[in-house]
Amino acid sequence: MRRAKKPSSFVIDGDWPHAMMEPHRGALVAQAIARRLAEAMAEQGVSANALAKKSGVNRQVVTNVLSGSVWPDMLTIVDLEGALGVLLWPDHTQWRIPEPGQPGDHAASEGGAPW
């Protein structure tokens, strides 16, 4: 049940992956990964097809990670990081994310860390 909702369904306002999000750590991490993946692909001029060939990750999976319609798994992230030569996984352990139902900032900043 923890994966019943896709990461992009936690958007409060705006467009994925730059939207304000509910305080759900997993969705915020998926958002940060999607944002960094899109940035790295744009910086390197790499299409989803080219990244799929270079990484061994199916093109549709790349597209799904970018759109927030899947929870990316560890092997997918590792393969994409290796192909792009960048870290995609954010350092989220220091993010101050309120527990569900607790008051606080319900938005992720542009850098993906809500505070």
Side-chain angles (χ1 to χ4, degrees):
M1 295 306 294
R2 290 171 41 101
R3 296 179 192 226
K5 291 174 65 174
K6 58 187 177 182
S8 62
S9 68
F10 291 90
V11 167
I12 294 173
D13 185 40
D15 297 319
W16 178 271
H18 301 283
M20 293 174 51
M21 301 283 287
E22 292 179 30
H24 183 280
R25 187 175 300 272
L28 291 165
V29 168
Q31 178 190 38
I33 290 169
R35 184 182 303 137
R36 183 62 191 121
L37 176 59
E39 290 167 355
M41 290 172 66
E43 289 165 2
Q44 297 180 27
V46 176
S47 68
N49 283 332
L51 182 55
K53 288 177 186 170
K54 187 173 182 181
S55 67
V57 174
N58 181 285
R59 183 204 56 81
Q60 189 62 52
V61 172
V62 173
T63 301
N64 290 345
V65 171
L66 288 167
S67 71
S69 62
V70 298
W71 297 97
D73 66 47
M74 181 178 64
L75 294 175
T76 297
I77 295 166
V78 167
D79 289 342
L80 294 173
E81 287 177 334
L84 292 167
V86 299
L87 292 176
L88 300 175
W89 191 268
D91 182 9
H92 65 90
T93 59
Q94 300 303 311
W95 292 356
R96 294 183 300 268
I97 302 171
E99 295 298 320
Q102 298 296 313
D105 185 4
H106 292 187
S109 71
E110 189 62 24
W115 44 74

